[in-house]
Amino acid sequence: DATAPSAITFVTVNPANVTYTNNTTVTFNATVVDAVRIGSCLLELNDSVNANNASMTVTGAGTASGYCTLANSTLVTGTNYTYRVWANDTVGNVAKSEDRRVIIDRTVPVVTFVTPTGNNTYSTIVNLSGNITFFNYSISFSSVDNIA
């Protein structure tokens, strides 16, 4: 067998490519297909400073298709990671997945209201309503107020 594993596919529980999340515990899963037998899988996880490699658990090792898992990887807040899965078959042929990115962001947005300055006065009825979506968080509001 001179053919590398032909398909490394990320399973839907992975962060989608270029995902922003506030969850620092991430599970990586991939399916691997080979003409003969899957030997092992490795997760390569890089940030801007470090390259980390971790062996993945292979379900179906020794068969033509396998499922590779690395559960509960703890990632650092404020970090942009690139990750990929490497797979080899039992005779040493190697393949790698596409590169993907996940960004861990636990910083709460700051909202500041600025009041009018100087001797200006404003008197009006303000009718506010709308929706704001920011990194998978939604805020809905509706308000009528007399500002004087």
Side-chain angles (χ1 to χ4, degrees):
D1 172 30
T3 306
S6 61
I8 301 174
T9 308
F10 288 104
V11 181
T12 56
V13 295
N14 284 299
N17 193 20
V18 191
T19 292
Y20 288 82
T21 182
N22 66 350
N23 190 350
T24 58
T25 303
V26 179
T27 297
F28 298 94
N29 294 291
T31 57
V32 180
V33 177
D34 185 61
V36 181
R37 291 183 183 93
I38 303 301
S40 64
C41 294
L42 179 80
L43 176 72
E44 180 183 343
L45 184 65
N46 302 310
D47 60 31
S48 60
V49 177
N50 302 304
N52 301 292
N53 296 317
S55 294
M56 301 178 80
T57 301
V58 181
T59 304
T63 64
S65 64
Y67 184 75
C68 305
T69 303
L70 182 63
N72 302 325
S73 297
T74 301
L75 305 180
V76 177
T77 299
T79 304
N80 182 341
Y81 291 94
T82 300
Y83 66 95
R84 66 186 63 87
V85 171
W86 293 84
N88 74 305
D89 60 19
T90 55
V91 295
N93 299 310
V94 177
K96 73 173 183 124
S97 69
E98 65 179 307
D99 289 356
R100 287 192 168 191
R101 288 182 40 223
V102 60
I103 298 95
I104 310 302
D105 182 1
R106 295 185 68 131
T107 304
V108 177
V110 176
V111 177
T112 304
F113 291 99
V114 178
T115 58
T117 59
N119 293 326
N120 298 327
T121 58
Y122 300 92
S123 179
T124 187
I125 294 177
V126 177
N127 192 0
L128 299 172
S129 67
N131 293 305
I132 299 170
T133 301
F134 182 77
F135 297 120
N136 298 326
Y137 291 99
S138 288
I139 301 169
S140 295
F141 59 90
S142 180
S143 174
V144 175
D145 201 354
N146 187 9
I147 301 174

